[in-house]
Amino acid sequence: MEVIIIAKSYGSLYEKILSWDNLVEAYDLARKNKKNRLDVISYHNHALDNLVFLKKQLDSELWEPASYKQFTIYNETKRRDIEAPLFRDRIVQHAIHKVLEPLYEKKFIYDSYSCRKGKGTHAAVKKVRSYLIDAKRKWGDNVYVLKCDISKFFPSIDHKILMNILSKTVRQKNLLNLIYKATINPNKRKLGKGIPIGALTSQLFANVYLNSLDHYIKEKLKCVYYVRYADDFLLLSNSKKHLQFFIIYIKRFLTTLNLKLNPKTTIFPISQGVDFCGYRLWCFHILPRKRVVKSGKKRVISSLKNYEKNLISKQKIISVWNSFKAYLSHSNSFTILYNFNIFLFLFFEKFLYDYKI
């Protein structure tokens, strides 16, 4: 089975990426919302000299990225190992992303929602709900969901396969070499697989890597109800057997990308609700995940305690609470929000007097 490639290649992209105007814009994008970081301040103090030197390195093809900063974060019950580039190298990633993203946007299917302009988790949730409603209207209660995710997706991305896919769009060898250096952590190149979660180009190229899967499911398997967010995706059908065949074909296709489905891949009726992008979805209502609510409460309470100890500012605690409220606002969670407001009032009456939620 061959990987489906939507073929249209482009030349003269290297020159666009390395143009002075593009590098300056990339610098501004890399600095956005990070102006108070020490490494960004240090680079900004000599921005012109630093950008001139960076451009000379890129023009002469002598630029090499530094090793990525590695750290671990815990999201709900998941552990994620993050690899983040230095600020200077992030500028290069923004320069590449700014030129290549519009080209690949033309190749992506509509129902891929991760790290794309005008998309995101809430748009994905809205689309899934509309599909659930449409499928139920079409098939009644006889609707089933195939929910999949790819096992260890980012660490499993094969460098050779990724570069081969990119070469179908990018003709210039010097640009392919720059992409490889900017995207692949120097410490991981000998492994032959894995791209860093914390890199901007990784988000784009993750979508590029799975684009052939998207087209395969939509065009070869003829699945109308299909939505993907990063390495999580789901399909709807009125037949369990139909979805079981889909699993076989999807597994077989993923071998061409050196990927595997998570063993937790499952088929279930829509009456159970669909766990997707941080929410539990049904046709006519949405609930937040219990573990996300629990985690959000812990963050808010922790920030309140730190505020009481004068460890953080009031603005910080307001930011934490507003973030949690924003998450709840996209679901039918009035009772949760109401009860938690009362809990906060009883626990921190003095604080609530200063800032009325």
Side-chain angles (χ1 to χ4, degrees):
M1 184 183 299
E2 294 183 358
V3 176
I4 298 174
I5 302 295
I6 311 303
K8 181 177 180 182
S9 61
Y10 299 84
S12 304
L13 298 176
Y14 190 73
E15 293 74 19
K16 291 180 182 178
I17 290 171
L18 267 58
S19 71
W20 178 254
D21 288 344
N22 191 57
L23 284 177
V24 171
E25 289 184 35
Y27 165 70
D28 289 335
L29 288 170
R31 188 167 168 258
K32 188 176 181 180
N33 299 325
K34 297 181 178 68
K35 295 179 181 179
N36 294 327
R37 285 178 38 169
L38 293 178
D39 58 334
V40 179
I41 293 172
S42 177
Y43 197 95
H44 180 68
N45 287 339
H46 305 281
L48 181 59
D49 291 339
N50 287 330
L51 286 174
V52 168
F53 181 70
L54 178 61
K55 179 165 172 53
K56 285 182 179 179
Q57 284 187 309
L58 291 168
D59 286 337
S60 61
E61 300 184 25
L62 296 176
W63 173 81
E64 288 286 343
S67 295
Y68 287 37
K69 179 182 177 182
Q70 299 181 341
F71 56 93
T72 301
I73 62 173
Y74 294 88
N75 182 14
E76 300 173 30
T77 59
K78 293 183 179 180
R79 166 181 169 156
R80 293 188 182 275
D81 296 318
I82 305 298
E83 300 169 81
L86 296 184
F87 178 72
R88 177 206 65 167
D89 300 333
R90 198 177 297 118
I91 296 171
V92 178
Q93 291 185 355
H94 273 281
I96 294 171
H97 185 275
K98 190 171 180 298
V99 172
L100 293 189
E101 184 202 26
L103 307 183
Y104 281 107
E105 273 293 323
K106 299 175 184 177
K107 302 171 185 282
F108 294 155
I109 67 167
Y110 184 85
D111 285 333
S112 164
Y113 286 86
S114 176
C115 301
R116 296 177 63 189
K117 291 178 181 178
K119 304 284 186 173
T121 56
H122 300 308
V125 166
K126 184 177 180 181
K127 188 64 173 183
V128 171
R129 275 196 72 192
S130 71
Y131 275 165
L132 291 175
I133 293 170
D134 194 48
K136 185 175 177 62
R137 187 180 293 123
K138 183 177 180 181
W139 295 319
D141 293 329
N142 196 34
V143 182
Y144 297 92
V145 181
L146 167 58
K147 188 172 185 303
C148 309
D149 72 87
I150 296 171
S151 179
K152 300 178 181 178
F153 173 54
F154 279 91
S156 299
I157 290 178
D158 187 288
H159 297 166
K160 288 183 179 179
I161 294 175
L162 174 61
M163 298 312 297
N164 179 55
I165 293 172
L166 292 172
S167 69
K168 305 300 181 182
T169 300
V170 178
R171 291 200 299 263
Q172 296 168 290
K173 290 185 178 180
N174 51 1
L175 178 51
L176 288 170
N177 184 50
L178 176 63
I179 291 171
Y180 179 78
K181 290 194 293 184
T183 303
I184 310 301
N185 186 340
N187 295 336
K188 300 292 178 69
R189 290 176 187 170
K190 289 183 180 180
L191 298 177
K193 62 180 183 178
I195 61 175
I197 295 176
L200 177 67
T201 50
S202 294
Q203 308 303 323
L204 172 61
F205 296 144
N207 280 332
V208 171
Y209 202 80
L210 291 180
N211 187 44
S212 58
L213 173 67
D214 295 336
H215 284 278
Y216 177 74
I217 292 173
K218 294 289 286 187
E219 296 159 18
K220 297 295 183 180
L221 298 185
K222 305 294 184 182
C223 182
V224 175
Y225 302 118
Y226 168 73
V227 176
R228 179 175 66 81
Y229 187 92
D231 59 329
D232 293 321
F233 55 96
L234 56 85
L235 302 83
L236 305 181
S237 176
N238 64 336
S239 168
K240 272 188 176 182
K241 287 186 178 179
H242 199 188
L243 293 177
Q244 286 167 351
F245 279 118
F246 278 177
I247 292 177
I248 295 171
Y249 287 120
I250 289 170
K251 282 183 176 180
R252 190 182 302 168
F253 185 86
L254 286 175
T255 60
T256 66
L257 298 172
N258 277 353
L259 299 174
K260 295 180 180 179
L261 283 181
N262 192 311
K264 294 181 180 180
T265 294
T266 183
I267 298 171
F268 54 90
I270 62 169
S271 58
Q272 291 184 11
V274 181
D275 192 341
F276 197 67
C277 288
Y279 296 91
R280 294 281 295 171
L281 314 175
W282 286 265
C283 289
F284 301 108
H285 70 287
I286 303 175
L287 294 179
R289 279 180 180 163
K290 290 182 180 179
R291 62 177 179 266
V292 178
V293 173
K294 185 178 180 180
S295 175
K297 286 181 178 180
K298 283 184 177 179
R299 286 197 302 272
V300 173
I301 292 171
S302 175
S303 64
L304 285 168
K305 289 180 179 178
N306 286 332
Y307 175 73
E308 289 272 302
K309 297 175 183 178
N310 293 320
L311 296 177
I312 60 173
S313 67
K314 182 182 291 187
Q315 192 59 43
K316 175 63 177 177
I317 199 172
I318 293 172
S319 175
V320 172
W321 172 233
N322 283 341
S323 176
F324 185 45
K325 280 203 302 182
Y327 165 74
L328 293 176
S329 70
H330 291 277
S331 63
N332 306 106
S333 52
F334 175 81
T335 302
I336 296 173
L337 191 59
Y338 178 77
N339 290 338
F340 192 54
N341 269 328
I342 293 175
F343 171 78
L344 285 176
F345 182 82
L346 294 174
F347 206 82
F348 288 107
E349 185 175 357
K350 180 181 177 181
F351 171 75
L352 291 174
Y353 180 78
D354 293 334
Y355 172 66
K356 294 181 181 180
I357 302 174

